[in-house]
Amino acid sequence: MSPVLEVSSVSLVIDGRKILDDVSFSVEKGSFTVLAGKNGAGKSQLLKIIKGLKKPSSGTIAIKGEDVTKSRQKRLSSVGLVFQNSDLQFVGETVEKDIMFGPENLGWDRDRIRAKTEEMLNLFSLTELRNRRPSTLSGGEKRRLAIAGVLAMEVDIIFLDEPFTALDTPSVMTLLDTLISLHEKGVTLVVVSHETERFLAHTDRVIILNRGRKVFDGPSKESLDELRKNDVYIPPLPFRSLTWKAT
């Protein structure tokens, strides 16, 4: 299967300091990948480059085989990014209008926008909240709305930046169920997180950054020692137990 995303020899230098150093990896369609590393490893800067919010100093980004390094608009429309602080990406006055915003900006016709909005409201259990202001939602509800708004634009890949941060246990469980369901539906997911013990058992692959360099890229089952070695907390449990869901 050809990859959805190919990152090739990407480097980033800011004020003479190398933030990312020759990072390369690919993400397969329908996979559930973890991008891990301690604070300062370069994860957030890499996300901004892939999304099109920052230019790399060198290297290329390809989406479904097409070099989009110089096409910021193509990356913006093909790559979905759910911010750690969901409030930063809400633009609609209501839950329903927020989901509609992306498809409207893409120029879809009214019937298609309406159908997609209803699909997302149902998929993320937001139907009863459709007329609520996003600012009045709980943390877990906000995170689900943020993902719904991104998925509504039919992006090729979704990145989630620290999605479990500041959520209580019930919200974590609901969000985890949502991510597992999306994975089962074939949505390509990359989760950037240092809280991998909450969901690692459900993922396919782990990529680890350390000081701007890729130091591991392999199956999730084989990543435990490397995660610990690179200061990512992993409790002394077998791989299948690394989830907050009952197993």
Side-chain angles (χ1 to χ4, degrees):
M1 187 179 295
S2 59
V4 172
L5 170 71
E6 295 172 274
V7 176
S8 302
S9 301
V10 165
S11 294
L12 177 66
V13 178
I14 300 178
D15 296 330
R17 178 168 168 255
K18 185 163 280 190
I19 308 299
L20 294 169
D21 187 2
D22 196 33
V23 175
S24 297
F25 63 88
S26 61
V27 178
E28 300 297 321
K29 180 177 174 57
S31 61
F32 191 167
T33 301
V34 181
L35 179 59
K38 63 183 180 180
N39 289 340
K43 305 186 301 296
S44 295
Q45 298 290 351
L46 180 58
L47 252 66
K48 290 177 182 178
I49 289 173
I50 293 170
K51 174 62 177 172
L53 303 176
K54 186 181 288 289
K55 292 181 179 180
S57 300
S58 60
T60 61
I61 306 291
I63 302 290
K64 295 194 294 189
E66 178 186 354
D67 187 342
V68 295
T69 311
K70 296 181 180 180
S71 177
R72 180 174 182 269
Q73 188 58 43
K74 180 68 175 178
R75 281 183 284 161
L76 287 172
S77 62
S78 298
V79 178
L81 174 57
V82 178
F83 296 107
Q84 180 175 336
N85 182 354
S86 300
D87 288 307
L88 294 176
Q89 62 192 98
F90 297 143
V91 292
E93 294 181 359
T94 65
V95 166
E96 180 179 48
K97 289 181 179 179
D98 194 76
I99 294 173
M100 295 173 69
F101 180 82
E104 286 175 340
N105 274 0
L106 293 175
W108 293 8
D109 65 63
R110 180 56 53 181
D111 288 343
R112 184 182 177 191
I113 292 172
R114 175 58 59 191
K116 179 58 68 172
T117 300
E118 292 299 326
E119 179 188 345
M120 294 298 103
L121 288 169
N122 291 326
L123 179 62
F124 291 94
S125 302
L126 295 168
T127 303
E128 295 183 0
L129 304 174
R130 67 193 309 150
N131 295 317
R132 289 266 301 273
R133 288 183 175 275
S135 61
T136 69
L137 303 180
S138 69
E141 290 165 347
K142 288 179 179 179
R143 206 63 51 88
R144 297 205 313 274
L145 174 57
I147 300 171
V150 167
L151 192 61
M153 294 184 286
E154 298 184 352
V155 294
D156 295 303
I157 184 170
I158 297 178
F159 282 81
L160 299 101
D161 189 7
E162 300 290 354
F164 300 105
T165 297
L167 297 186
D168 58 21
T169 299
S171 296
V172 169
M173 298 293 283
T174 300
L175 179 57
L176 182 52
D177 283 336
T178 298
L179 296 180
I180 293 170
S181 176
L182 290 175
H183 182 215
E184 290 172 347
K185 293 177 186 297
V187 177
T188 308
L189 300 170
V190 179
V191 173
V192 179
S193 179
H194 66 279
E195 300 175 287
T196 53
E197 78 279 3
R198 297 187 176 196
F199 66 101
L200 189 66
H202 307 286
T203 67
D204 306 311
R205 183 158 160 248
V206 170
I207 299 167
I208 304 174
L209 296 183
N210 192 330
R211 296 183 180 180
R213 294 190 62 86
K214 185 184 76 174
V215 295
F216 178 82
D217 183 351
S220 299
K221 292 181 179 179
E222 299 175 8
S223 69
L224 304 190
D225 288 343
E226 291 297 327
L227 286 166
R228 295 184 182 109
K229 188 187 302 181
N230 287 279
D231 298 322
V232 178
Y233 173 71
I234 297 292
L237 297 171
F239 174 76
R240 66 180 181 275
S241 299
L242 294 172
T243 174
W244 277 30
K245 283 181 64 67
T247 54

